[in-house]
Amino acid sequence: MAASFPETAISTERLLLRPLADEDAPGLVAMMDDEPVHTWTAIPQPFTRAHATDWIRTLAPARRAEGRGIAFAVTEHLTQRLVGVVELRGTDWRLRSTEASCITAAWARGEGYAPEALLGVAQWLFEDRGFLRLELRTAAGNTAAQQVAQKIGCISEGVLRSAWIVRGGDWTAPTRTPAGAGPGPGSAGPGTPEDSVGSEGSVGSVGSEGESRSDLILWSLLPEDLESAQDDSWARQRYVLRD
């Protein structure tokens, strides 16, 4: 039987990360109806209630059961409102490595929720699950997502050339051009949820109207990087793992 993540909840100072539930469907639909999400991810547009329900009831449970990853709904402690989603995918149990992606609702951006959620997941992975590597991949033009990676202590390992497709006119960045960001983080990693479109290729063929190829910046976080980040008083005060 394949190794898999347990169904669990992670608590940080302001957030609760828990399994997706049926009541999250309206919030997911509203969250995905957003231009940065359309631009930087492979999520179907429009993202419908049927897509949300399929993700909650079928795709996310299957991914966890098969050991490929896990999806968390990110909610505020104070209001219980859905502020985002964090997903782990491409998990390699032999290497104890996985890739994270994060989407934050438009109304919740600028509050530091994305780094708080990702750092909580990283603590859980390293301290509770014995993982040794966490990866993020950000489109070259998505500098807000790159800032999230830097805030949690990730190290940039290099560029995956022409490895992604971005959608939308003014938001797209030319290949191998890391400058020129759009507002809002959109996603701290492309493609959430990957199973909802079958594969990255389902986004559309290269050269379709409003689409262009983009480089991906590969980031990594190791346990020792997390320890260095926690030496910063901001990180030390904000993040507490209470699995």
Side-chain angles (χ1 to χ4, degrees), residues 74-207:
V74 182
T75 62
E76 287 180 319
H77 280 309
L78 188 61
T79 66
Q80 285 79 57
R81 191 174 180 184
L82 183 70
V83 303
V85 179
V86 172
E87 190 171 44
L88 302 180
R89 61 173 180 241
T91 304
D92 187 320
W93 292 93
R94 183 169 179 266
L95 293 177
R96 309 300 283 186
S97 173
T98 191
E99 180 187 344
S101 63
C102 176
I103 291 177
T104 305
W107 65 268
R109 293 175 190 153
E111 300 295 330
Y113 285 148
E116 181 170 342
L118 286 169
L119 198 48
V121 169
Q123 289 175 327
W124 172 69
L125 283 169
F126 296 152
E127 297 171 12
D128 278 24
R129 310 314 305 169
F131 270 62
L132 299 174
R133 178 179 172 89
L134 178 64
E135 291 185 359
L136 281 80
R137 301 182 185 205
T138 63
N142 193 353
T143 58
Q146 294 157 28
Q147 290 170 1
V148 171
Q150 292 169 337
K151 282 183 177 180
I152 67 173
C154 288
I155 303 299
S156 174
E157 293 189 342
V159 175
L160 306 176
R161 297 183 299 164
S162 195
W164 192 248
I165 297 172
V166 293
R167 304 176 290 189
D170 293 340
W171 294 84
T172 57
T175 303
R176 290 183 294 282
T177 303
S187 170
T192 306
E194 64 180 295
D195 288 342
S196 67
V197 293
S199 70
E200 281 89 349
S202 300
V203 174
S205 60
V206 179

